[in-house]
Amino acid sequence: MKPIRVGAASLNQVPLDWEGNARRILAVIEQARQQDIRLLCLPEMCICGYGCEDAFLSRGVQQTSLEVLRELLPYTEDLVVSFGLPIQLRNAVFNTMALVARGEILGFSAKRHLAGDGIHYEPRWFKSWPTGRVAHLEWEGQHLPVGDLLFDCGGVRIGFEICEDAWVADRPGSRLAQKGADLIFNPSASHFAFEKSATRAHYILDGSRAFGTGFVFANLLGNESGRAIYDGDTMIAHLGRTLARGERFSFGDSVLTSAVLDVDLGRLKQSRMVSFTPDLDDNSPDVVRIDFEYPDLPPQKTKDSSSDWETGKHLKEEEFARAVALGLFDYLRKSHSRGFVVSISGGADSAAVSCLVGLMVRFATKELGLEEFKKKLSYIESLQHATNEAEATGALLTCVYQGTRHSSDTTYNAAKGVAEAIGARFARFDVDGLVREYTQLAENLEGRELTWERDDLALQNIQARVRGPGAWMLANLHGALLLATSNRSEAAVGYATMDGDTCGGLSPIAGIDKNYLRRWLVWLEQEGPEGLEALPALEAVTKQAPTAELKPKEFEQTDEGDLMPYDLLDAIERAAIRDKMMPLEVFRALRGEFHAIEAERLAAWIERFFTLWCRNQWKRERYAPGFHLDDENLDPKTWCRFPILSGGFQRELKALRAFVSKED
């Protein structure tokens, strides 16, 4: 065998966007052809989109996927390409990769291990394929093999581990290696989570070493269907060594990564490395063969296109900035919104959301150039007149400060300073008159004056709620998307006013706890992402104690005073929700870490958390869609389901109180 060039492509696809998905696939196939790539791995479900959800069960979606595959066949005359799509056999739907060569469908490799944890719900739509089984699909007069297959393309043997298949202990790669696989394709829809790329690299390298093969990993790219963000990771490894790795978080339609493999060298080393005796049956029915020729290739050096920031000490901060920026960009253009509106308060949450939009513009224009950025958003007329990043941000983002008599100059100046620093359009609304009118209406009905001593919650909430209509109106006037500014810590205890600070069509920081968000803002203020300038204007935000500013100044209101210290709140949330501990278990787990807090106080805060958690599930059900950034999400639609009505842990809280009382 001569050396061959293999490729892995990430693709920014959209569920059920048949023409767009096909266009992006064809574009990356043409790029591969120009680079002399002959074996190309595309991502999981790249034809129809991974986020089709219950539409996967539609016979029409399955049929259209096959029709699009047929339309793509003529473009593979000189390549071997894998395409992801759902197919139905009898009464079951399977997640498959079609391998195509020389314009022919060789067969469909089916996923054996389905992702059913966290944000994934594959068992709802698909069935797992049994090991060692092969069936056939009758389609347009063809008898096509489906199942646990190995493909022999001109002497190069290719097998598949489809996403989750590579994350389990019983990896299909072991059996593929026993069948003599030279290459394992790992087409994936592997969602972004903090520092997850290092885990991927581990199983890719470990698999290529343990199985004595080449390994080609291709992932989706961008915000495909609303909540999950895909970082577009691509990687090629051989015998435990990285040959090539592509850039993550690209704002382009695709990222193509390639490397040259010496198959004979792999086979030589495999014979020394692996402990099993290979299967010598050349007539096995699970091996599909086709003649294929590979061109002569010049030598190629190892290529790693990953960025310098990925090896820095602030990986999580960089990932958060880049993931949300990409998520916002794709959400903007795929929803055909004409910009963003943020009700900016001068506090951490709204400042972070505003800055993330600013970073979206800065990252995108740096990668694509201003003109290409404007072209991708060509339907936004006001953007087309922008001549620099700041003008582009101003065309896309409006920040509105909505003050009452309880608002301070400190928060106003902080909000204005942040908006101006990123180039956003800034406005100030005085909503105190609206608050007074609503208060007067209620007082007339009740026949009494409303007071802070008696009506605290109602008086706070009306101030938050009157800010919603003005922000919505600005969004409607411009066809823009209103961004909600609630964070995960507030979601856990319902510390948010429905139809107030929860207003919005998208909630970018709903998956981020307040403690981390405050640290991230300090990083953005003092250091900033690799290659971009920091934002010193954030100092006016970061030096403040978080406050809703909904009560008269003499109350000295702060968020932590209303709730509890944020570091404790986040620790309780992780123990109670992520680790599924009961109240007494949480107390015992945190007693050492928070030893400075008196036992009675700690128990009271734990009880407060559980009480508020149960009481406010209905709020979490109503929050705008948020990005999944951390595998400890509280989103009831993707990660953390909890009943709206419950017993509220009364028995368990009683046990906590009894334990603390006895301990004293």
Side-chain angles (χ1 to χ4, degrees):
M1 285 295 301
K2 60 184 72 174
I4 55 175
R5 189 182 299 276
V6 302
S10 65
L11 288 167
N12 195 318
Q13 304 293 68
V14 182
L16 308 179
D17 180 15
W18 304 109
E19 284 73 22
N21 290 349
R23 183 174 63 252
R24 288 180 285 272
I25 288 171
L26 289 177
V28 85
I29 287 176
E30 181 56 32
Q31 291 177 43
R33 179 177 289 108
Q34 293 175 4
Q35 295 180 26
D36 288 325
I37 293 170
R38 287 300 177 264
L39 302 177
L40 177 62
C41 181
L42 301 182
E44 182 179 17
M45 289 292 168
C46 61
I47 287 180
C48 60
Y50 181 78
C52 292
E53 302 205 30
D54 283 1
F56 280 129
L57 301 175
S58 167
R59 187 61 181 149
V61 168
Q62 300 153 20
Q63 291 173 339
T64 305
S65 296
L66 284 167
E67 291 170 5
V68 172
L69 176 61
R70 180 185 58 211
E71 294 166 5
L72 295 169
L73 295 180
Y75 300 92
T76 65
E77 278 296 326
D78 53 350
L79 291 95
V80 177
V81 187
S82 65
F83 300 90
L85 72 164
I87 65 167
Q88 182 170 353
L89 283 174
R90 300 182 181 90
N91 63 342
V93 182
F94 297 94
N95 180 336
T96 74
M97 295 298 300
L99 195 69
V100 173
R102 293 171 43 190
E104 300 178 26
I105 301 174
L106 305 185
F108 300 85
S109 183
K111 193 170 186 176
R112 285 176 45 194
H113 300 88
L114 301 178
D117 60 339
I119 70 171
H120 295 290
Y121 209 0
E122 289 185 352
R124 179 180 175 92
W125 311 303
F126 307 118
K127 300 297 182 184
S128 299
W129 192 270
T131 301
R133 294 287 299 277
V134 177
H136 289 82
L137 174 69
E138 299 291 338
W139 182 63
E140 297 190 343
Q142 299 179 68
H143 194 61
L144 300 170
V146 181
D148 190 359
L149 300 173
L150 185 69
F151 299 90
D152 187 322
C153 300
V156 178
R157 289 194 165 193
I158 304 168
F160 286 88
E161 288 186 332
I162 303 174
C163 200
E164 185 75 5
D165 285 339
W167 290 76
V168 298
D170 182 25
R171 293 176 62 168
S174 178
R175 183 173 181 274
L176 292 169
Q178 290 180 10
K179 300 289 291 185
D182 298 301
L183 280 177
I184 295 176
F185 277 7
N186 182 215
S188 294
S190 179
H191 68 272
F192 166 77
F194 291 124
E195 302 178 18
K196 185 178 179 182
S197 62
T199 305
R200 291 197 200 106
H202 174 75
Y203 80 66
I204 291 168
L205 289 170
D206 189 59
S208 69
R209 179 199 57 77
F211 304 145
T213 64
F215 204 99
V216 182
F217 171 81
N219 197 16
L220 287 175
L221 171 64
N223 183 345
E224 192 219 26
S225 60
R227 285 183 170 87
I229 298 171
Y230 300 93
D231 58 11
D233 209 358
T234 52
M235 184 174 177
I236 300 171
H238 195 210
L239 307 174
R241 186 169 65 95
T242 301
L243 297 187
R245 192 162 192 181
E247 178 186 358
R248 294 196 293 146
F249 304 114
S250 171
F251 285 79
D253 289 340
S254 63
V255 172
L256 179 60
T257 301
S258 68
V260 173
L261 296 179
D262 187 330
V263 175
D264 279 338
L265 176 62
R267 291 169 180 170
L268 176 63
K269 290 191 175 181
Q270 185 183 55
S271 68
R272 299 171 180 171
M273 293 169 63
V274 299
S275 59
F276 50 78
T277 300
D279 185 346
L280 302 177
D281 182 7
D282 288 334
N283 297 312
S284 176
D286 60 354
V287 179
V288 182
R289 292 177 174 79
I290 190 171
D291 291 334
F292 193 83
E293 294 186 1
Y294 300 94
D296 294 326
L297 295 173
Q300 184 199 41
K301 295 182 179 180
T302 298
K303 179 183 178 183
D304 187 347
S305 297
S306 57
S307 303
D308 292 340
W309 62 263
E310 301 207 49
T311 58
K313 62 179 180 178
H314 293 292
L315 175 61
K316 185 174 180 179
E317 284 75 11
E318 290 272 4
E319 286 190 324
F320 175 56
R322 294 172 187 274
V324 178
L326 178 57
L328 287 168
F329 179 67
D330 280 346
Y331 204 106
L332 177 71
R333 64 191 186 90
K334 293 179 182 181
S335 67
H336 303 287
S337 300
R338 297 179 180 274
F340 300 105
V341 172
V342 175
S343 183
I344 189 167
S345 67
D349 297 335
S350 58
V353 171
S354 302
C355 287
L356 287 163
V357 176
L359 288 172
M360 177 201 82
V361 177
R362 295 164 78 186
F363 284 136
T365 54
K366 183 178 181 182
E367 177 188 346
L368 303 174
L370 180 61
E371 293 308 312
E372 182 63 22
F373 175 72
K374 288 163 38 175
K375 182 179 178 181
K376 278 186 168 287
L377 299 171
S378 59
Y379 64 93
I380 304 177
E381 185 177 351
S382 60
L383 176 64
Q384 307 312 309
H385 305 294
T387 60
N388 54 50
E389 287 179 357
E391 290 180 5
T393 304
L396 294 175
L397 175 61
T398 297
C399 295
V400 55
Y401 180 87
Q402 302 185 77
T404 70
R405 67 187 63 187
H406 305 310
S407 303
S408 66
D409 290 341
T410 299
T411 55
Y412 168 73
N413 291 328
K416 186 172 186 290
V418 169
E420 290 177 346
I422 61 177
R425 179 188 180 204
F426 180 75
R428 179 176 186 171
F429 290 173
D430 185 346
V431 297
D432 200 64
L434 295 172
V435 173
R436 188 60 232 161
E437 287 184 28
Y438 276 111
T439 303
Q440 186 66 57
L441 288 172
E443 288 177 337
N444 292 341
L445 179 63
E446 296 297 318
R448 65 176 179 84
E449 182 181 359
L450 302 188
T451 67
W452 286 102
E453 291 73 21
R454 185 175 177 181
D455 309 298
D456 183 294
L457 185 61
L459 289 172
Q460 288 197 63
N461 282 348
I462 191 58
Q463 294 173 76
R465 287 199 175 99
V466 298
R467 292 166 174 157
W472 274 122
M473 188 172 187
L474 284 177
N476 293 160
L477 284 171
H478 298 281
L481 182 65
L482 178 59
L483 298 179
T485 58
S486 293
N487 61 66
R488 176 170 130 194
S489 302
E490 295 173 348
V493 291
Y495 190 65
T497 303
M498 294 311 300
D499 307 313
D501 50 342
T502 61
C503 282
L506 178 66
S507 191
I509 61 171
I512 299 297
D513 63 82
K514 185 63 168 267
N515 231 20
Y516 173 73
L517 197 67
R518 292 164 70 182
R519 295 198 303 271
W520 181 79
L521 284 171
V522 171
W523 168 80
L524 189 60
E525 169 204 337
Q526 298 177 358
E527 298 186 42
E530 182 77 26
L532 298 182
E533 293 181 356
L535 283 173
L538 283 169
E539 183 184 6
V541 175
T542 59
K543 69 182 181 182
Q544 299 178 51
T547 175
E549 279 197 324
L550 298 175
K551 300 179 73 170
K553 292 180 175 61
E554 60 264 26
F555 285 87
E556 297 182 346
Q557 182 183 27
T558 66
D559 293 352
E560 291 184 307
D562 285 349
L563 294 171
M564 64 186 77
Y566 274 118
D567 59 344
L568 174 61
L569 192 160
D570 296 332
I572 295 173
E573 182 241 297
R574 288 191 295 272
I577 309 308
R578 181 193 66 186
D579 300 335
K580 304 297 187 288
M581 293 182 183
M582 292 296 104
L584 181 53
E585 294 176 302
V586 173
F587 178 84
R588 286 170 167 162
L590 300 184
R591 191 78 165 89
E593 181 181 352
F594 294 92
H595 57 84
I597 301 175
E598 293 181 355
E600 295 85 351
R601 189 63 170 153
L602 177 59
W605 274 329
I606 292 172
E607 180 169 353
R608 179 167 175 74
F609 175 89
F610 276 92
T611 300
L612 292 174
W613 169 268
C614 296
R615 183 184 299 166
N616 291 291
Q617 178 64 22
W618 68 276
K619 289 188 178 182
R620 290 187 290 275
E621 298 282 351
R622 286 191 56 199
Y623 281 0
F627 295 146
H628 184 82
L629 304 169
D630 191 320
D631 285 334
E632 301 170 21
N633 201 330
L634 302 184
D635 184 354
K637 297 178 179 64
T638 58
W639 192 82
C640 184
R641 298 192 173 201
F642 191 82
I644 295 173
L645 302 176
S646 72
F649 294 97
Q650 290 303 306
R651 181 186 179 98
E652 294 83 357
L653 291 173
K654 183 179 179 180
L656 171 62
R657 289 191 293 268
F659 178 84
V660 173
S661 176
K662 183 178 179 180
E663 189 180 64
D664 288 344

